[in-house]
Amino acid sequence: MRIITGKYKGRHFEIPRSFKARPTTDFAKENIFNVLNGYIDFEEAVALDLFSGTGSITLELLSRGCSQVVSVELDRDHHRFIQECLKKLSTSNTVIPIRGDAFRFIKSCHQQFDFIFADPPYALKELSTIPDLVFEKNLLKDDGVFVLEHGKDYEFSAHPHFVEHRSYGSVNFSLFKAVATSVG
């Protein structure tokens, strides 16, 4: 697993073979971040990485200058691996690695984020509910962006916050955006 760009560009981390989690491929990660650069400035952004797995996205967000990244991962070994990677980077940015269930986190979170990335297991039966939960719980700041990584069997274009879909091989991303509310 490698960091694509930013402060830690090119850093590699060896993922233990025993891990069940599959990191987003470098090809897909590089391409989706190229698309995201048109939507969000990661410098000083506050981000949430749900279903963090190996921490690939958390590390990429840190490298790109996010001021804070909350990383939520249920698996004990994966969580520990993320913490080890963060120690190796000895970053001054704030990372909050949480070992816990992403759905419980969403339901109890009172913080808002500029950017949210979710990479749940593709076979997760509740996967299709994640966009609704993110917007029902008001987790995105105005003009915030939410990216859901998923398999080819999911379609989110009818969702009111959907903005676009990108596919890179077997990796699919649906992008959603919080609409800024105007007062007046």
Side-chain angles (χ1 to χ4, degrees), residues 86-131:
L86 292 169
K87 281 180 191 167
K88 288 177 185 173
L89 293 179
S90 61
T91 177
S92 61
N93 297 40
T94 304
V95 180
I96 303 170
I98 296 173
R99 182 171 170 248
D101 178 78
F103 289 102
R104 283 190 181 150
F105 178 85
I106 290 169
K107 290 174 183 172
S108 64
C109 182
H110 299 291
Q111 183 176 357
Q112 286 191 313
F113 302 90
D114 299 296
F115 179 72
I116 300 173
F117 189 94
D119 181 10
Y122 289 3
L124 184 72
K125 66 179 182 171
E126 301 94 347
L127 187 147
S128 64
T129 67
I130 296 171

Side-chain angles (χ1 to χ4, degrees), residues 16-28:
R17 293 175 195 243
S18 61
F19 277 20
K20 295 170 242 140
R22 37 135 192 85
T24 302
T25 65
D26 286 350
F27 175 75

Side-chain angles (χ1 to χ4, degrees), residues 146-159:
F146 166 51
V147 174
L148 176 62
E149 183 175 332
H150 56 84
K152 65 180 177 7
D153 298 332
Y154 291 92
E155 167 63 43
F156 294 98
S157 62
H159 193 279

Side-chain angles (χ1 to χ4, degrees), residues 4 16 21-22 27 48 57 61 67 89 95 100 102 106 121 139 158 164 178:
I4 304 297
R22 37 135 192 85
F27 175 75
L48 170 62
I57 300 299
L61 291 167
S67 63
L89 293 179
V95 180
I106 290 169
L139 295 183
E164 71 175 289

